[in-house]
Amino acid sequence: MRGWAMTDADPLQRVNALLDDVLPPPHVRQQLRLAAGLTQLEVAEAVGVQRLAIARWELGQVQPRRPHRAVYIHLLKKLAERFPHAAQPDAGMPTPVSERGSG
């Protein structure tokens, strides 16, 4: 019976890993950062990437890849816990210029 439980746990753990690997929409990423009073550079240094990567992630131009993706998701989850209002897609905070349709 013990071996059976282990085999069932593996697929569940894999599914949980997929669910935990979901990023909020790009504008929510920015809202969370701004709510915390962090700059793109501060987030970039914490995650271990260049500032431009954070700007592109917040614009939705590119998606973070492993291993930085896991670190970025962890940061965003912690910020969402601390600033739940900013985690809402319609929190009313500024959105990137490209999302407003002007360039």
Side-chain angles (χ1 to χ4, degrees):
M1 184 70 120
R2 190 173 187 187
W4 178 77
M6 287 299 287
T7 23
D8 278 352
D10 292 341
L12 293 177
Q13 288 174 351
R14 289 193 301 267
V15 168
N16 285 339
L18 287 175
L19 296 173
D20 289 342
D21 194 38
V22 176
L23 284 162
H27 69 280
V28 173
R29 300 170 202 172
Q30 181 189 41
Q31 288 173 182
L32 289 167
R33 177 181 56 78
L34 293 173
L38 298 171
T39 66
Q40 288 179 340
L41 181 59
E42 290 170 322
V43 171
E45 289 174 348
V47 174
V49 296
Q50 298 292 316
R51 187 207 58 81
L52 184 58
I54 301 300
R56 289 179 174 165
W57 296 349
E58 289 182 356
L59 289 170
Q61 294 176 340
V62 295
Q63 297 295 320
R65 293 190 230 154
R66 289 178 175 83
H68 302 111
R69 182 180 179 92
V71 175
Y72 189 52
I73 288 172
H74 179 74
L75 171 67
L76 293 174
K77 284 183 180 182
K78 292 297 184 181
L79 292 177
E81 289 173 8
R82 188 170 289 176
F83 306 100
H85 65 281
Q88 302 304 313
D90 59 351
M93 296 189 73
T95 57
V97 172
S98 64
E99 288 190 15
R100 288 194 306 255
S102 60

